[in-house]
Structures are given as structure tokens and as C-alpha cells.
């Protein structure tokens, strides 16, 4: 049951029976509070729980204890808990008076955003129509420029995150590369310039690393660029690159059967880029940005790539393919090189469910990052703290980069056996980033789904993480 926010100037009849009242502390004054047994109220709300319902004159008053919410992230968590409380108590229509609220605009934004993020459910293939119903929370206050900005900011971010979650949640038989390219093309209606390069064009361009991954599938392989030109000047764009393996069997380096069904998530890096670009367009962000995603399906067939193959990448560098299940870096090699050459971005971020090793290292708690620029890393860490989307930097020392050099080609798609697997992936990608372009790699294999200890994410579902972190970085 997704939560729909409505900003209105008066209380709608459908919601008047359920009023939410935010309580700052025990001394908070309110005419409804004055009619209650003070001792009972304080014990119930401040000692036992965060939420307390009181019914008077056929109206429910839902009191929310905000006394322990100090930071923006606290209010986000409180919002997610409020949604669960409303859902568990089957309260589908409710309202609160923003005029009488003591919250700052930022606190209000986080409270509402946390509630909406938590409400996400992927019910597309459920036949029970009740599963598709929305609940409504009406924010009552005066119309103003600030309220409009708040509403647009919340809705644009939510649409980007929910789009990413939807894409990641789709099964591989539905969201294959052909369908995915079509869905991205629909973003043109938001003012984005979308260009789709199919297999024929990619072959002429020399994108052999990307094509090699998809050659075992009956589906097409694509490189898709998504451009947003919101700056008034011709400043360099920011570059965002994503891995889009719609399903990954591992190829001839076949994955074990256990958990292979999770490989529908192997396009989560590209979904991050797509969701991010949609949000920038909806916000009319005053920046230039480009998203580049490689879309393939890694299957087994008589035409599939073999371990030991050598391919010439778009950059001109040759790659020894030692393991066909280390395929994401092959796609990104061509995508990074293309973005570097054709857009020369101010800086470039790539997102990929690249390695299982990062899950062993960081679990489903933090995203592993690697970079060639410490200033960029510091900016990422600040935004990580601001959004609560944890990152952890891993080194890219020369010794690691030496481990991905090949004896028969320029580079190989594995590092040293049994060690530093996540770093080897980053070291490989670094070789395809344009000279002097600041770059950071996000290995989201552990944080694109099944994320632990995040109040605003439903358990065992796609997260849409990193989008909020990047938007915080951009200030857009």
C-alpha cells in the first residue's frame, strides 16, 4: 500500500476522522492534549511507544513523539515508522496541519520522505487488486512557493528512487535488454535526450567488450545514453555510468543454481543511473549531466563467449577474458571509455553490482567505493553521512592495478586468484577512464537489494540506494 502525499489548503472530508499531531516534548501544548489524562498520555507516548491513538467524538487523534528526533535522518526514520503504524492500524486517510507544526522545512521534508520511501511495494504481478490500493496523507497548510518547492523536490526524488526499484524488481523474462531500452526511451517525454545504440551500430563502433558479454543471448545488446542539459552555459557534463546485465547466468563460468534467481538484480547499477537522470529532469536541475548504460544478457549458448577469449575494447585496449562471470567490468570498460571520449565529463561515477566479494567484505550495509581522486571521495563521504547511505573506500594502489595486467593482452578481467576481488574489479575499470577525469566506482552488489538496517527500505526488496547520495552531492 503506497503512501500518496497531497498538499491541500483545507482538511478533506475523507480524512477528517484521522488527525496526526506531532508532539515536540512533554511540555507541548495543544487543546486536544489538555483534554487528556496527562499522566496516561505521557506514559503511553513518551515511555512506552512513539505513537499513541486517542479516540474522542468519533475522531482519531494520532500523537507522534518527536522528542528523540534530532537529526534529519532521525525524522526520516520517524516518518518510515509512522507509515508502518498507519498501515498496521489500517488508517488509509489521514491529515496533519503543517501550519501548527514546529518542524523546519528540512525536518518536514525528511519525515514525509521517510514515510513515502517505506511505503514502496512491488505488486505488479499480484492478482489481488487490494494490493494496489494507496493510502493518503494530506498535508494541510497555506499555498506558498516553499510548499510547492518542497512538494516538487519530494515527488521528483521519489519518482527516481521508485523507478530504480521497479526496474530492479522486474523479472528477467520481462525486463530483458530489448524491453529495457524501450523503457529508457520513454524518458524523452521529461526532456531527456535518449540515444539507443543497437548491436549493429555497436559493432561498427568497436564495442567488442560489451558485445562479447551479450553474444550468447537471443536478445539484443545496447549502449544507451541519457543527456540532460540544464545549465545555461556549455559547462562540462557530469558523467554517470551503469552496468545493466538484465540476467546473469555467469556464462560458461556458470553460477551455482542457488541464488541464481537473484541475478535479475544484476542491472541495478544502470537502474541507479536511469532513476537519477529522471529526477534531474523532473527537478529541471541547472546542471549538465549524461548517463551511459550498457544493457546485455549474459547467457550460455553455442555462440556464447568462452573463458580465454581475447577482445579488443572500444578504447583500443585488448582484454583477456579469464572468467565469463566477471562480465560487468567488460560492459563498463566500453561504457566508461565512450563517456570519457565523447563527453569529457567534469567527473564520472559508475555504479555496478560488480562483485560478490564486496558483500563478503561489507555485507548488505555499505557500498564499496574506489577512486582516482581523493577530493571526489571526500565529497562522496560527506553526502554519505548526510543521507545515511553508507560507503567505504577501498584502495587502488599500483600493486593492485598490476594484478589485472595480462601476459597475452593489455589487461585481464580477473586479479590475483583468491584475493582482493572487489579491488581487482575497480583496478580493471580504472584502465578505461579517460586521462585526468576524476572518477569513482560504486560497487553496489550488497546495497542494491536485501539492504539491512535501513528504516526506509522494505526488507528483501530493491533499495534504490545511492540516488539520494548523488543528488546530495550535486545539490540539484
Amino acid at each position: 500500500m503506497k503512501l500518496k502525499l497531497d498538499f491541500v489548503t483545507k482538511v478533506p472530508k475523507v480524512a477528517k476522522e484521522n488527525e496526526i499531531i506531532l508532539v515536540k516534548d512533554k511540555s507541548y501544548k495543544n487543546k486536544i492534549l489538555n483534554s487528556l489524562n496527562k499522566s496516561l498520555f505521557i506514559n503511553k507516548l513518551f515511555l512506552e511507544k512513539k505513537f499513541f491513538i486517542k479516540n474522542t467524538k468519533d475522531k482519531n487523534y494520532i500523537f507522534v513523539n518527536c522528542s528523540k528526533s534530532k537529526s534529519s535522518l532521525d525524522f526520516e526514520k520517524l516518518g518510515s515508522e509512522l507509515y508502518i503504524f498507519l498501515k498496521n492500524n489500517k488508517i488509509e486517510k489521514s491529515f496533519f496541519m503543517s501550519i501548527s507544526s514546529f518542524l523546519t522545512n528540512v525536518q518536514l521534508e525528511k519525515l514525509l520522505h521517510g514515510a513515502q520511501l517505506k511505503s514502496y511495494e512491488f505488486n505488479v504481478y499480484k492478482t489481488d487488486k487490494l494490493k494496489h490500493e494507496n493510502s493518503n496523507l494530506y498535508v494541510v497548510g497555506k499555498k506558498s512557493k516553499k510548499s510547492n518547492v518542497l512538494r516538487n523536490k519530494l515527488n521528483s526524488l521519489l519518482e527516481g528512487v521508485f523507478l530504480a526499484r521497479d526496474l530492479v524488481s522486474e523479472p528477467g523474462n520481462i525486463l530483458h535488454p530489448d524491453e529495457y531500452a524501450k523503457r529508457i526511451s520513454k524518458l524523452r517525454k521529461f526532456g531527456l535526450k535518449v540515444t539507443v545504440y543497437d548491436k549493429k551500430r555497436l559493432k561498427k563502433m568497436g564495442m567488442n567488450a560489451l558485445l562479447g558479454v551479450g553474444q550468447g543471448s537471443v536478445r539484443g545488446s545496447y549502449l544507451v545514453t541519457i543527456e540532460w542539459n540544464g545549465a545555461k552555459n556549455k559547462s562540462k557534463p557530469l558523467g554517470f555510468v551503469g552496468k545493466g546485465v538484465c540476467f546473469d547466468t555467469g556464462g560458461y563460468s556458470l553460477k551455482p543454481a542457488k541464488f541464481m534467481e537473484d541475478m535479475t538484480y544484476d542491472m541495478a547499477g544502470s537502474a541507479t543511473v536511469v532513476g537519477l537522470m529522471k529526477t534531474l529532469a523532473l527537478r529541471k536541475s541547472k546542471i549538465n549531466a549524461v548517463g551511459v548504460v550498457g544493457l546485455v544478457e549474459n547467457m550460455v549458448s553455442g555462440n556464447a563467449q568462452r573463458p580465454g577469449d581475447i577482445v579488443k575494447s572500444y578504447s583500443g585496449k585488448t582484454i583477456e577474458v579469464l572468467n565469463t562471470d566477471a562480465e560487468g567490468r567488460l560492459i563498463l570498460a566500453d561504457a566508461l571509455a565512450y563517456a570519457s571520449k565523447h563527453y569529457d565529463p567534469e567527473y564520472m561515477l559508475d555504479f555496478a553490482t560488480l562483485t560478490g566479494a564486496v558483500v563478503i567484505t561489507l555485507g548488505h550495509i555499505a557500498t564499496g567505493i574506489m577512486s582516482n581522486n581523493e577530493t571526489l571521495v571526500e565529497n562522496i563521504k560527506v553526502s554519505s553521512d548526510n543521507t545515511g547511505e553508507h560507503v567505504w573506500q577501498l584502495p587502488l594502489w599500483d600493486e593492485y592495478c598490476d594484478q589485472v595486467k595480462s601476459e597475452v593482452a593489455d589487461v585481464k578481467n580477473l586479479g590475483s586468484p583468491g584475493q582482493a576481488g572487489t579491488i581487482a574489479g575497480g583496478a580493471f575499470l580504472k584502465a578505461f577512464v579517460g586521462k585526468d577525469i576524476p572518477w569513482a566506482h560504486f560497487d553496489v552488489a550488497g546495497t542494491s537489494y536485501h539492504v539491512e538496517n535501513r528504516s526506509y527500505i522494505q526488507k528483501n526488496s530493491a533499495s534504490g540506494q545511492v540516488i539520494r547520495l548523488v543528488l546530495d552531492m550535486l545539490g540539484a
Side-chain angles (χ1 to χ4, degrees):
M1 188 168 67
K2 288 185 180 179
L3 179 66
K4 184 176 184 294
L5 290 181
D6 288 292
F7 290 77
V8 296
T9 56
K10 61 181 182 180
V11 180
K13 290 181 180 180
V14 294
K16 65 180 183 179
E17 295 179 356
N18 299 299
E19 181 175 1
I20 297 171
I21 298 176
L22 307 178
V23 181
K24 186 176 183 180
D25 52 41
K26 294 180 182 180
S27 64
Y28 186 72
K29 293 182 179 180
N30 178 284
K31 65 180 181 179
I32 304 301
L33 289 179
N34 294 337
S35 66
L36 297 177
N37 180 314
K38 202 72 173 177
S39 175
L40 172 66
F41 172 73
I42 290 174
N43 287 337
K44 284 286 185 183
L45 187 60
F46 288 93
L47 297 182
E48 296 179 17
K49 58 186 90 173
K50 289 183 179 178
F51 309 100
F52 175 59
I53 293 182
K54 181 65 177 178
N55 182 271
T56 59
K57 297 180 181 179
D58 298 322
K59 183 173 180 178
N60 292 319
Y61 292 98
I62 303 146
F63 297 99
V64 181
N65 175 9
C66 301
S67 63
K68 295 182 180 179
S69 299
K70 307 298 181 185
S71 69
S72 295
L73 292 178
D74 290 338
F75 280 97
E76 193 172 87
K77 183 178 180 181
L78 183 64
S80 67
E81 292 170 345
L82 173 61
Y83 167 75
I84 294 298
F85 182 80
L86 295 174
K87 182 181 179 182
N88 290 343
N89 286 275
K90 298 181 179 179
I91 299 172
E92 296 180 358
K93 312 287 183 184
S94 58
F95 77 95
F96 82 91
M97 307 297 295
S98 63
I99 297 175
S100 60
S101 171
F102 57 87
L103 300 185
T104 66
N105 282 338
V106 173
Q107 290 170 339
L108 177 60
E109 173 192 329
K110 293 297 183 180
L111 179 77
L112 297 174
H113 187 53
Q116 280 196 292
L117 281 175
K118 187 66 174 180
S119 74
Y120 176 83
E121 293 178 347
F122 186 75
N123 291 323
V124 175
Y125 301 105
K126 288 186 177 292
T127 55
D128 184 355
K129 292 184 179 180
L130 291 176
K131 295 289 185 180
H132 297 273
E133 290 186 354
N134 290 329
S135 61
N136 294 78
L137 173 57
Y138 297 90
V139 182
V140 184
K142 292 181 180 179
K143 280 189 176 181
S144 67
K145 188 176 180 180
K146 281 187 177 180
S147 66
N148 287 335
V149 169
L150 172 62
R151 180 184 60 209
N152 293 338
K153 186 176 182 182
L154 285 172
N155 288 341
S156 61
L157 177 53
L158 199 75
E159 286 209 29
V161 172
F162 279 12
L163 173 59
R165 289 180 178 181
D166 284 345
L167 291 171
V168 174
S169 300
E170 287 281 7
N173 64 315
I174 302 295
L175 194 74
H176 46 73
D178 304 327
E179 171 64 19
Y180 198 176
K182 290 177 184 176
R183 292 198 190 185
I184 296 174
S185 296
K186 292 179 181 179
L187 295 180
R188 291 178 179 132
K189 65 185 177 183
F190 300 110
L192 291 161
K193 180 184 176 182
V194 179
T195 305
V196 179
Y197 299 92
D198 62 14
K199 192 181 295 186
K200 185 176 180 180
R201 294 178 73 182
L202 293 178
K203 193 169 184 179
K204 287 183 178 179
M205 294 161 66
M207 293 239 173
N208 301 308
L210 185 155
L211 288 171
V213 177
Q215 72 185 40
S217 173
V218 296
R219 303 292 184 184
S221 295
Y222 302 90
L223 185 83
V224 183
T225 61
I226 313 163
E227 299 176 46
W228 172 252
N229 297 306
K232 292 181 179 179
N233 54 39
K234 293 185 178 180
S235 58
K236 287 185 177 183
L238 308 178
F240 307 110
V241 179
K243 168 191 170 183
V245 179
C246 296
F247 192 80
D248 182 19
T249 66
Y252 276 112
S253 303
L254 192 67
K255 290 181 180 293
K258 188 177 182 181
F259 304 129
M260 191 188 283
E261 68 273 14
D262 286 345
M263 288 302 101
T264 56
Y265 297 146
D266 213 20
M267 38 61 66
S270 64
T272 298
V273 173
V274 174
L276 173 62
M277 295 303 295
K278 181 178 181 180
T279 297
L280 292 177
L282 289 174
R283 289 185 173 181
K284 306 296 182 187
S285 298
K286 298 184 184 303
I287 63 170
N288 293 333
V290 60
V292 180
V293 294
L295 312 179
V296 302
E297 193 174 56
N298 188 21
M299 304 296 280
V300 178
S301 76
N303 195 47
Q305 189 164 249
R306 298 158 291 270
D309 283 1
I310 296 176
V311 295
K312 186 176 182 181
S313 69
Y314 176 77
S315 70
K317 292 180 180 177
T318 54
I319 303 169
E320 181 185 12
V321 182
L322 293 178
N323 188 310
T324 60
D325 194 26
E327 84 299 332
R329 64 200 69 182
L330 301 176
I331 298 163
L332 290 175
D334 279 350
L336 286 167
Y338 183 86
S340 298
K341 179 178 178 180
H342 287 272
Y343 296 102
D344 187 26
E346 181 181 336
Y347 63 77
M348 191 159 53
L349 309 178
D350 81 68
F351 312 93
T353 50
L354 205 70
T355 67
V358 78
V359 183
I360 295 170
T361 305
L362 300 174
H364 292 281
I365 303 294
T367 296
I369 61 170
M370 286 152 273
S371 179
N372 62 3
N373 185 284
E374 284 304 309
T375 300
L376 183 56
V377 168
E378 289 307 312
N379 290 336
I380 292 169
K381 289 180 178 178
V382 168
S383 291
S384 169
D385 291 338
N386 290 344
T387 58
E389 297 189 335
H390 300 318
V391 299
W392 190 260
Q393 184 183 10
L394 297 169
L396 275 181
W397 298 320
D398 290 342
E399 291 88 341
Y400 290 121
C401 294
D402 289 341
Q403 290 179 353
V404 296
K405 291 179 179 177
S406 168
E407 293 183 2
V408 294
D410 295 324
V411 289
K412 56 185 179 178
N413 72 334
L414 290 181
S416 294
Q419 53 182 292
T422 300
I423 297 173
F428 178 91
L429 296 179
K430 184 181 178 183
F432 298 91
V433 176
K435 185 179 179 182
D436 299 326
I437 297 176
W439 155 82
H441 163 60
F442 290 70
D443 193 334
V444 297
T447 51
S448 59
Y449 59 96
H450 297 331
V451 177
E452 296 177 15
N453 199 29
R454 289 292 184 281
S455 59
Y456 53 85
I457 299 172
Q458 295 286 8
K459 189 177 181 182
N460 297 325
S461 71
S463 70
Q465 272 206 179
V466 183
I467 292 176
R468 299 189 313 147
L469 185 157
V470 176
L471 287 168
D472 186 83
M473 276 181 68
L474 303 180

